[in-house]
Structure formats: C-alpha cells, structure tokens
C-alpha cells in the first residue's frame, strides 16, 4: 500500500512538468515548472557589438572598452537603468559617430524577455 501511494505521488509530481513541456498541456491540477523562481528574476543578459567602417559587426568587450575590472560593478547589469548607463558610457568611450549594437534580455518568470534588440544603433537613441 505504501509503495502504491509513493508511486502515485511520484507520478503526480512528474506529470505536471512533463505534460506542459512535452505535450503543451496546462492544467490547474498539474504542477508546472518555472524557469526562474527567485534567483534569476531581474537578471539582464546583454551583449554588445560595434559596427566597423566596412559594415561588419565585431563583439565589444565592455570591460576592456571602459577599463573596468571583470569582477567589479560592471559585471552585473541589474536594471534597465544600469543597461542605459552602460550603453551611454560605451558610446562616450567609442566617440562621436560610433555604431554600437546591443542585444539584451531580462530573466522573468515566463522566461527570457527581450528588452533591447540590435536592430538600431544604440548610440543614436
């Protein structure tokens, strides 16, 4: 009897995430899996590229460009305001007419949300 109860509870715990991720079924009775529950919420993942004169995009290392240590305050971008500040500092360091492209996404309960695309020059905004 205990084995049957154990198996029933185990199957119930596994069924929710499997039903949602594999079969796309969402039900109030089934427990679903959440990508971020606390630790990843609000984290901004950003990448920077600079357009060269020939039109190619090359990765831009924000630490090197700004002369900042890799383990300092520039390591974590914690808000949209922080991202805007980093972009402004990079544009200033790159000089007049710089073309810096930024791709950024925010960790949310529903997954990654795009907050900045590389469609436009971030220095022109």
């Amino acid at each position: 009897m205990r084995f049957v109860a154990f198996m029933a509870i185990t199957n119930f715990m596994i069924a929710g995430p499997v039903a949602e991720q594999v079969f796309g079924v969402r039900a109030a009775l089934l427990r679903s899996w959440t990508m971020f529950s606390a630790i990843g919420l609000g984290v901004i993942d950003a990448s920077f590229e600079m357009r060269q004169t020939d039109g190619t995009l090359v990765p831009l290392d924000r630490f090197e460009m700004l002369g900042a240590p890799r383990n300092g305050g520039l390591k974590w971008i914690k808000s949209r305001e922080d991202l805007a500040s980093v972009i402004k500092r990079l544009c200033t360091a790159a000089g007049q007419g710089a073309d810096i492209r930024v791709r950024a996404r925010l960790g949310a309960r529903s997954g990654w949300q795009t907050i900045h695309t590389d469609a436009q020059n971030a220095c022109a905004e």
Side-chain angles (χ1 to χ4, degrees):
M1 194 63 161
R2 281 189 284 178
F3 179 73
V4 171
F6 173 76
M7 291 305 292
I9 291 169
T10 303
N11 286 334
F12 178 74
M13 289 171 54
I14 294 172
V18 169
E20 184 174 342
Q21 292 180 23
V22 176
F23 303 110
V25 175
R26 291 191 72 125
L29 287 174
L30 296 176
R31 201 175 124 277
S32 68
W33 179 80
T34 303
M35 183 171 180
F36 297 111
S37 62
I39 278 193
L41 290 177
V43 170
I44 295 179
D45 174 41
S47 63
F48 305 89
E49 295 177 316
M50 182 178 275
R51 186 175 301 275
Q52 300 297 308
T53 54
D54 64 356
T56 60
L57 290 172
V58 295
L60 176 65
D61 185 338
R62 67 181 183 256
F63 303 103
E64 188 177 309
M65 182 91 162
L66 298 175
R70 293 190 179 277
N71 60 353
L74 196 56
K75 182 177 182 177
W76 298 104
I77 299 175
K78 298 176 184 165
S79 66
R80 292 173 190 252
E81 292 78 24
D82 282 353
L83 179 62
S85 172
V86 170
I87 292 170
K88 183 177 179 182
R89 290 172 58 194
L90 286 171
C91 291
T92 301
Q96 186 75 17
D99 186 351
I100 296 177
R101 304 297 169 131
V102 180
R103 260 182 264 124
R105 58 190 185 160
L106 174 72
R109 289 197 189 280
S110 59
W112 289 107
Q113 294 178 346
T114 300
I115 58 172
H116 206 289
T117 66
D118 59 353
Q120 296 180 343
N121 179 0
C123 297
E125 294 176 0

